[in-house]
Amino acid sequence: MLTDIRYDEHFAEVMQILTSRGLFLTGTAGGKANTMIIGWGLIGSVWGRPIWTVLVRPSRYTYQLIEQTGDFTISVPGADLEKACKLCGSVSGRDRDKLAEAGLRAVPARKVKSPVIDGCLVHYECRVLHTNDIQPGTLIQPIITGAYRSGDYHRVYWGEIVASYADIDRLPELK
């Protein structure tokens, strides 16, 4: 059963999953949803609002979708979706239907256009408040060398969390 939660509940557990198997970042436009896996992101408070900050490269298909709709969702997968995470993190939705291939189902979100991924433990719905592009001249060399060898610098999306909810029956799986 999906139940509203505070955006900062389960913070440590969500961050652990973010950095281990990743989270689904989902966007939609023109009736087509796409999800990708993110391993970087921040949850916090900026401008007195709850915020998810995510980084998406302009070369990614999801970038186009977020640009078109101005929103995105984050869905936190359980261990049962590890294979789906690997697939969604390795192929482009531009050319393939990753959701179908991974056995995932996008379901309508409560407050934004982009859907959430069914069967996940926690969901966040976000409206983009601000974007900025990573500037190479402001980064230290080890970051450039490690993350930007190809020169494909991220756009940073600051999304206000307008809804957050969890499958309370599956919350013990976060531990």
Side-chain angles (χ1 to χ4, degrees), residues 23-28 33-38 52 54 56 62 65-66 69-76 99 105-118 120 122-128 157 159-165:
L23 308 179
F24 292 111
L25 170 65
T26 306
T28 191
N34 185 64
T35 196
M36 63 181 276
I37 296 299
I38 58 169
W52 249 110
V54 298
V56 182
T62 303
L65 303 180
I66 296 171
T69 61
D71 67 41
F72 60 88
T73 64
I74 303 282
S75 296
V76 180
L99 293 170
R105 190 168 68 103
V107 296
R110 296 175 176 180
K111 295 186 177 184
V112 299
K113 295 174 192 167
S114 295
V116 297
I117 302 300
D118 192 33
C120 285
V122 180
H123 302 283
Y124 303 91
E125 300 181 18
C126 304
R127 284 199 182 99
V128 175
Y157 291 95
E160 180 178 13
I161 302 167
V162 295
S164 52
Y165 42 97

Side-chain angles (χ1 to χ4, degrees), residues 17 21 76-85 119 121 170 173-174:
I17 294 171
R21 71 178 152 266
V76 180
D80 59 323
L81 294 177
E82 191 166 350
K83 284 184 181 178
C85 290
L121 306 175
R170 293 188 60 203
E173 295 178 42
L174 279 173

Side-chain angles (χ1 to χ4, degrees), residues 35-175:
T35 196
M36 63 181 276
I37 296 299
I38 58 169
W40 303 344
L42 302 167
I43 297 176
S45 178
V46 180
W47 307 301
R49 298 166 188 252
I51 300 287
W52 249 110
T53 303
V54 298
L55 293 82
V56 182
R57 296 178 195 272
S59 62
R60 302 292 187 246
Y61 180 55
T62 303
Y63 171 92
Q64 290 176 241
L65 303 180
I66 296 171
E67 288 291 308
Q68 288 180 39
T69 61
D71 67 41
F72 60 88
T73 64
I74 303 282
S75 296
V76 180
D80 59 323
L81 294 177
E82 191 166 350
K83 284 184 181 178
C85 290
K86 287 180 181 173
L87 177 86
C88 291
S90 64
V91 300
S92 174
R94 189 177 283 118
D95 308 313
R96 296 166 63 174
D97 185 347
K98 289 195 288 189
L99 293 170
E101 286 183 44
L104 297 172
R105 190 168 68 103
V107 296
R110 296 175 176 180
K111 295 186 177 184
V112 299
K113 295 174 192 167
S114 295
V116 297
I117 302 300
D118 192 33
C120 285
L121 306 175
V122 180
H123 302 283
Y124 303 91
E125 300 181 18
C126 304
R127 284 199 182 99
V128 175
L129 297 180
H130 175 70
T131 64
N132 60 282
D133 296 324
I134 299 291
Q135 301 298 314
T138 64
L139 287 175
I140 61 172
Q141 192 58 46
I143 301 289
I144 293 171
T145 303
Y148 298 108
R149 285 186 213 117
S150 69
D152 192 11
Y153 292 89
H154 289 97
R155 171 158 289 173
V156 182
Y157 291 95
W158 302 72
E160 180 178 13
I161 302 167
V162 295
S164 52
Y165 42 97
D167 183 341
I168 58 169
D169 297 326
R170 293 188 60 203
L171 280 180
E173 295 178 42
L174 279 173
K175 304 289 181 223

Side-chain angles (χ1 to χ4, degrees), residues 11-33:
F11 174 80
E13 297 92 327
V14 170
M15 290 296 106
Q16 194 283 322
I17 294 171
L18 171 73
T19 58
S20 60
R21 71 178 152 266
L23 308 179
F24 292 111
L25 170 65
T26 306
T28 191
K32 184 176 179 189

